[in-house]
Amino acid sequence: MIISRLPDLTFVSRGHAETLRLSLEAARIAQLAGNLSQSLAPETAIGLVFRSSPELVLWWFASLCAGLRPLVIQYPTMKQAQTYWQSSVRHTIEAAGLGGIICDGDVHRHLGGIDVPIIEQPLPPHRDGDADFELDDFRIIQLSSGTTGHRKAVEFTSEALAHHAAEYQAAMKLSGESDMIVSWLPLYHDMGYVACFVMPLMLGVPITMIDPEIWVRDKALLFEAIEAHRGTICYMPNFGFEVMARERVRDLSSIRLWISCSEPVKAATTRRFLEVTGTPESKFAACYAMAENVFAVTPSSGLKTRKIDDQMSCRAGLRFPASS
């Protein structure tokens, strides 16, 4: 990834949108990376605990530039007991072998008893200039879903990520010139992390992002963001389609593909969403994915169903080569 060629990321909340021009952030990222290098050895696994925000993105890039291996950790929420969240962080530290955590001040106050170095510092101001650099050899960590057991840490090289992104682009025809991904998905999960962050960055596709906690409180914001920013790709789990089928429909004509993934894809939910939004079946895709394969294993195009135990489910049909 060459920093001057990276796409823009726009962070949306009610009445506010902030665009991060990554192509102009090389100097600030390098400054943050220098700070990290003073306290953490290269190849250290580092946890990042931020909302979906410019801070998270800049620290992620700084971690890569410092030779660290970043992992995004779930941000604490009002609906989750603090003790449970702290327990999950401790499990993540052990599972991924984290050597430190970078977070904001609010999170730091919740991390009592965590036995790794915690880095909390404000972002430096943006620095103008034409600095540039290339990231061509790095590693990231993500956690498996934990559906069939404890969540496991899975590491990927930049080579594996680039291979997966190229295969996915060939299958889904993603374009940095004409596509815009709009997402409320959390970045601690592989669908949000890879499909709506890492892959778009590698492919030059701009992103409009809503923090998941904001979306939970203001679900109508998704359709509004798609209309305002001319979104073309939107990923959601099945429950997201169920919820959004109850929201007032906006102008969604820019969307070329709705992608359902990470949960069993229910035909009834899908048909209800397509009918309510006036979306043709050709603009829907089901995807089977798993963190151990970076992301997608079998995506599909159109609405295809199979009856299993008297339940109609959508299915995905185009298989990717193994990515790891």
Side-chain angles (χ1 to χ4, degrees), residues 11-70:
F11 300 87
V12 177
S13 59
R14 175 60 59 189
H16 179 73
E18 178 182 3
T19 296
L20 178 64
R21 301 290 305 277
L22 278 172
S23 60
L24 303 178
E25 291 290 353
R28 184 155 56 159
I29 290 170
Q31 180 180 347
L32 291 172
N35 295 345
L36 290 175
S37 297
Q38 293 177 12
S39 54
L40 295 169
E43 300 190 6
T44 298
I46 187 78
L48 304 177
V49 195
F50 294 92
R51 298 187 186 279
S52 298
S53 63
E55 288 81 5
L56 173 59
V57 176
L58 291 172
W59 280 114
W60 187 81
F61 272 103
S63 299
L64 296 182
C65 290
L68 308 179
R69 298 175 293 135

Side-chain angles (χ1 to χ4, degrees), residues 51-191:
R51 298 187 186 279
S52 298
S53 63
E55 288 81 5
L56 173 59
V57 176
L58 291 172
W59 280 114
W60 187 81
F61 272 103
S63 299
L64 296 182
C65 290
L68 308 179
R69 298 175 293 135
L71 165 68
V72 179
I73 297 174
Q74 180 182 5
Y75 199 88
T77 70
M78 295 294 293
K79 293 185 176 181
Q80 192 176 55
Q82 181 175 328
T83 53
Y84 180 84
W85 177 79
Q86 289 173 333
S87 175
S88 72
V89 172
R90 291 190 183 93
H91 170 74
T92 299
I93 290 171
E94 181 178 355
L98 297 185
I101 289 177
I102 309 172
C103 63
D104 62 29
D106 290 337
V107 169
H108 196 167
R109 286 186 285 274
H110 289 283
L111 285 174
I114 299 297
D115 192 24
V116 295
I118 298 174
I119 298 172
E120 177 215 332
Q121 56 182 265
L123 289 177
H126 172 76
R127 296 168 55 189
D128 291 327
D130 57 0
D132 198 10
F133 60 82
E134 182 175 2
L135 281 168
D136 58 2
D137 184 15
F138 60 86
R139 289 180 287 166
I140 67 169
I141 304 171
Q142 66 175 342
L143 296 180
S144 62
S145 66
T147 304
T148 58
H150 293 299
R151 302 183 78 189
K152 299 174 178 63
V154 187
E155 181 179 285
F156 292 107
T157 64
S158 51
E159 182 180 7
L161 293 167
H163 173 74
H164 193 84
E167 293 285 348
Y168 197 81
Q169 184 179 34
M172 310 305 283
K173 305 296 187 289
L174 292 175
S175 168
E177 299 296 323
S178 57
D179 278 319
M180 164 69 79
I181 290 175
V182 180
S183 172
W184 56 263
L185 299 174
L187 298 186
Y188 60 83
H189 187 277
D190 63 333
M191 182 162 61

